[in-house]
Amino acid sequence: MPDSPPRLPFVIGVGVTGHRARALKADTLEELGARIRTTLKLVSASGLALRSGCATCYDDAPAILRLVSPLADGADQIAAQVALELGWQLQVVLPFDRAPYRSSLDTAASRAEFDRLAERATCVLELPGADGPEHDAYVMAGRATVAHCDILIAIWDGRPARGRGGTAEVVQLALTRGTAVVHIAPDNGQDMRLLWSGFDPNVLTLADQPSVARPLDQAHVDQVLTGLMLPPPNAEEMAFFSRFDNERLRRIRTRIEYPLMLALAGVKRFGAKDFREQHCADQIRDEWQAYCTGCVDAHSMSAPIAVLQSAYSWTDRLATHFAQAYRSGHIFSFLFGGLAVCIGLSAFMAPQHKFEFAAGELLITFAIILNAWVGTRNEWHRRWLDYRQLAERLRPMRSLKLLGIAAPDPPGTATNPVPLRWIDWYAAGIWRAIGCPSGSLDRAGAARLAVSIADHEIAPQVSYHRRHAEQIQLLDHRLESIGFSLFLATLIVSIVTMVGIAANSVFVNQYGNWFTLVSAGFPALGTAVFGIRFQADFGGDALRSLATANTLGQIDQEMRHDVSLSRAADLTEQASRVMLSDLDEWRLVNQQRDLSVG
């Protein structure tokens, strides 16, 4: 484990889709290759300039430029040839098995070129298109290409789709996912255009929408890559990222008030795990090992997810640490606030120790202020929320990658794919860094992989949310009982005191100071318990977890119904959205509840 969170490698992915050789004029092929070369050089120049201008955003390794191509004869092979000549990596996505796909190419020359290019590829992904209609195969290949690129080169006549799986459908998919499209007309009679939904961030983009089209030049390529590759130009977001970049893991957790409260309420056992960060690291390691054994090793798919595992482990461990610190800080402030009231009242019972009680109350008040100041200054609250959201964005990427054609939703908003927060930019960078998976899937293999993902990704989340809801509901109920008991005791003491005064009983005068302590101190403690419940929103948290568990449970069941690869990808993408939607609502509820005492 490195001593700081992993820096992002600088990776740009370009995909290609376009007409087959039979649809291209022979006298346009040379010019078509030149136009693709111009495009790749523009992207390369812009990317390398961004890389050198943002040294603190990425690691020190050389930039990686990748082309994703299905290697069909025509536009796909031309683009692959040019990319390799320029020193780019080549990643290949095939709509079905290599042998039958190779046989579908029109000429012996194109088949020989396919062999040469596939041999030089860093990975080859074979999709199960042979088990269904041909157009479904090309839809999957287009979807996989879009899933693993930032810019799509489309050699396209500009006309609407005339059937499933065509270039127009792939272009529309790319635009709706925030992928920029370089439109190159096959007859060379039109200027090249750059289409991107970020050029018109107010509406959902259509391929024939003029407002998203710009000339293909360096300025507009710079604009696209700046929006996609650089963190948000917001000074506050950059400061947040810088803090994350310099985080260090603490071996010992000193704030234990929250796990101690869980133990005292009978919800969870208290032990060494609550002090040691290593316990969290061991859990993550074991969970990832089980996932890799069940989903990667057991199937013919692989992806370089080491960088994903490292990033997830860091963010999850940091989120757990700051969650415990923040929650413990709140418990400390509320309970010690009530305790300060009780100590102040205790001076009535032992006036000879009034100074000591006053000093104790002063120390507790100072400790509460210091606790709030330290927590606010160190941003326990904001760091917990940010790191938890980032961790949960990263977790499902492993399953989305293995499916080959699935992808997380683009950063930003539905109409504008530019990252608005540093965590969106970082998560997108991790996805980009992994690249295409390798392997071959047939129809049965895709269904088995879907079941494995249900077993090792979705079902554990269902169990976690149900278990979490049960624990939090129990904690909320027991805190409610404690608070009710404190107020009930206050009510009883108040009644006894009134009856004693009315009856002129001696015990009222003898124990009056104790009655005062109970009647004034217990409500303070009861209010502190109520404050803990209100601040943590245990009841609302439990309801959100149950709703998430129920929705994910439905997806889990559907994943087990012998689904196709496309269906499995749709369901896994939806599961990712459900988890993120739960997190977004959770953040909205919690983001205003900091540790300030004012």
Side-chain angles (χ1 to χ4, degrees):
M1 173 66 69
D3 60 1
S4 62
R7 285 279 188 93
L8 295 174
F10 188 88
V11 179
I12 299 177
V14 174
V16 61
T17 184
H19 297 309
R20 299 283 292 265
R22 69 178 76 97
L24 298 172
K25 298 177 182 178
D27 59 354
T28 65
L29 298 183
E30 184 176 349
E31 177 62 21
L32 184 59
R35 288 185 162 208
I36 293 173
R37 183 181 301 272
T38 297
T39 300
L40 295 182
K41 284 186 172 181
L42 285 172
V43 172
S44 176
S46 178
L48 294 178
L50 290 176
R51 172 72 180 80
S52 63
C54 191
T56 60
C57 301
Y58 291 92
D59 65 17
D60 297 328
I64 299 173
L65 305 174
R66 292 178 178 148
L67 182 85
V68 183
S69 172
L71 290 189
D73 50 350
D76 294 351
Q77 288 191 0
I78 293 172
Q81 294 163 4
V82 172
L84 289 172
E85 290 171 8
L86 294 175
W88 288 48
Q89 292 182 359
L90 174 62
Q91 298 190 330
V92 174
V93 173
L94 305 180
F96 36 88
D97 291 349
R98 183 182 304 204
Y101 183 68
R102 180 184 184 277
S103 300
S104 72
L105 303 181
D106 291 339
T107 66
S110 63
R111 291 190 287 273
E113 184 64 13
F114 172 87
D115 293 337
R116 186 184 73 83
L117 294 171
E119 183 67 26
R120 298 184 63 184
T122 58
C123 71
V124 177
L125 172 63
E126 300 174 33
L127 299 170
D131 298 321
E134 186 178 40
H135 61 76
D136 285 349
Y138 292 104
V139 168
M140 283 194 292
R143 183 173 174 181
T145 301
V146 171
H148 300 104
C149 73
D150 306 294
I151 296 175
L152 179 72
I153 297 175
I155 291 82
W156 171 47
D157 58 16
R159 296 177 183 175
R162 293 181 289 277
R164 295 297 316 281
T167 303
E169 182 175 358
V170 179
V171 168
Q172 185 58 57
L173 173 64
L175 290 173
T176 55
R177 293 199 62 87
T179 303
V181 176
V182 175
H183 176 206
I184 302 177
D187 59 7
N188 300 330
Q190 302 177 24
D191 292 334
M192 293 187 290
R193 302 187 303 159
L194 183 60
L195 314 176
W196 185 44
S197 56
F199 290 140
D200 184 8
N202 301 305
V203 296
L204 292 174
T205 301
L206 299 176
D208 58 353
Q209 192 170 303
S211 61
V212 301
R214 300 290 187 274
L216 180 69
D217 53 33
Q218 194 69 65
H220 289 109
V221 172
D222 289 347
Q223 183 179 348
V224 170
L225 290 183
T226 298
L228 296 179
M229 304 294 297
L230 294 189
N234 179 293
E236 186 177 50
E237 289 295 319
M238 286 299 295
F240 293 162
F241 167 67
S242 178
R243 186 149 206 171
F244 170 73
D245 192 42
N246 290 283
E247 289 283 11
R248 299 294 182 270
L249 290 166
R250 291 83 171 161
R251 293 185 179 182
I252 302 298
R253 295 175 182 160
T254 58
R255 301 307 301 262
I256 58 171
E257 295 94 324
Y258 180 68
L260 191 59
M261 182 185 73
L262 293 177
L264 292 174
V267 174
K268 207 171 184 180
R269 288 186 176 181
F270 182 80
K273 69 181 187 305
D274 299 304
F275 291 94
R276 297 173 55 248
E277 195 279 331
Q278 187 60 41
H279 176 75
C280 181
D282 292 342
Q283 284 187 315
I284 295 171
R285 182 201 60 221
D286 294 345
E287 193 273 333
W288 274 76
Q289 183 175 346
Y291 178 88
C292 289
T293 300
C295 291
V296 180
D297 300 343
H299 299 277
S300 56
M301 295 291 290
S302 64
I305 59 174
V307 64
L308 173 62
Q309 181 176 354
S310 178
Y312 172 78
S313 179
W314 263 95
T315 52
D316 188 64
R317 291 160 71 182
L318 287 169
T320 302
H321 170 80
F322 287 111
Q324 184 166 316
Y326 166 77
R327 287 165 167 162
S328 295
H330 263 303
I331 292 166
F332 180 92
S333 293
F334 279 114
L335 288 185
F336 275 77
L339 181 61
V341 174
C342 293
I343 289 178
L345 293 170
S346 298
F348 290 104
M349 294 177 294
Q352 67 276 19
H353 297 296
K354 185 176 294 186
F355 178 83
E356 288 83 352
F357 285 126
E361 188 174 11
L362 176 64
L363 287 175
I364 290 176
T365 303
F366 176 77
I368 293 171
I369 295 172
L370 181 63
N371 174 68
W373 180 81
V374 171
T376 302
R377 184 175 184 273
N378 289 304
E379 299 182 291
W380 293 342
H381 186 227
R382 197 271 309 162
R383 289 155 90 180
W384 167 40
L385 297 178
D386 275 4
Y387 300 159
R388 176 51 56 207
Q389 285 201 302
L390 177 55
E392 299 310 318
R393 276 166 170 73
L394 296 175
R395 185 207 305 269
M397 286 185 182
R398 55 191 183 180
S399 295
L400 295 171
K401 276 294 179 185
L402 287 182
L403 289 167
I405 67 174
D409 287 339
T413 65
T415 59
N416 186 12
V418 174
L420 302 179
R421 302 181 57 217
W422 77 267
I423 60 175
D424 299 324
W425 163 77
Y426 188 88
I430 292 293
W431 174 262
R432 188 181 291 118
I434 302 171
C436 279
S438 298
S440 177
L441 279 175
D442 57 17
R443 175 66 174 76
R448 290 193 299 271
L449 178 58
V451 173
S452 293
I453 289 173
D455 286 339
H456 295 280
E457 188 79 81
I458 301 176
Q461 284 296 299
V462 174
S463 298
Y464 163 77
H465 280 285
R466 287 180 176 156
R467 185 172 63 253
H468 175 73
E470 182 180 350
Q471 289 178 341
I472 292 300
Q473 280 180 328
L474 179 59
L475 175 61
D476 189 60
H477 174 71
R478 291 190 173 169
L479 288 177
E480 180 184 21
S481 298
I482 291 170
F484 177 78
S485 298
L486 289 168
F487 283 107
L488 181 61
T490 303
L491 179 63
I492 293 172
V493 168
S494 298
I495 293 173
V496 170
T497 301
M498 293 176 64
V499 171
I501 292 173
N504 198 23
S505 297
V506 175
F507 78 88
V508 173
N509 294 325
Q510 186 177 358
Y511 299 103
N513 290 332
W514 286 98
F515 291 160
T516 302
L517 174 62
V518 171
S519 61
F522 278 22
L525 292 174
T527 301
V529 172
F530 172 78
I532 292 171
R533 293 179 59 218
F534 173 78
Q535 195 75 21
D537 188 33
F538 294 127
D541 196 8
L543 290 175
R544 286 189 296 273
S545 280
L546 281 175
T548 299
N550 290 337
T551 304
L552 290 177
Q554 295 172 358
I555 294 174
D556 173 70
Q557 292 301 312
E558 186 64 25
M559 289 282 282
R560 302 174 188 278
H561 289 167
D562 191 30
V563 295
S564 66
L565 180 62
S566 294
R567 180 64 172 164
D570 290 341
L571 290 167
T572 306
E573 287 179 349
Q574 184 59 23
S576 177
R577 291 187 194 102
V578 169
M579 289 184 279
L580 290 181
S581 176
D582 171 67
L583 274 174
D584 289 341
E585 184 177 350
W586 167 80
R587 183 185 180 100
L588 187 64
V589 169
N590 281 279
Q591 63 185 357
Q592 297 301 322
R593 295 175 175 175
D594 57 23
L595 279 171
S596 60
V597 295

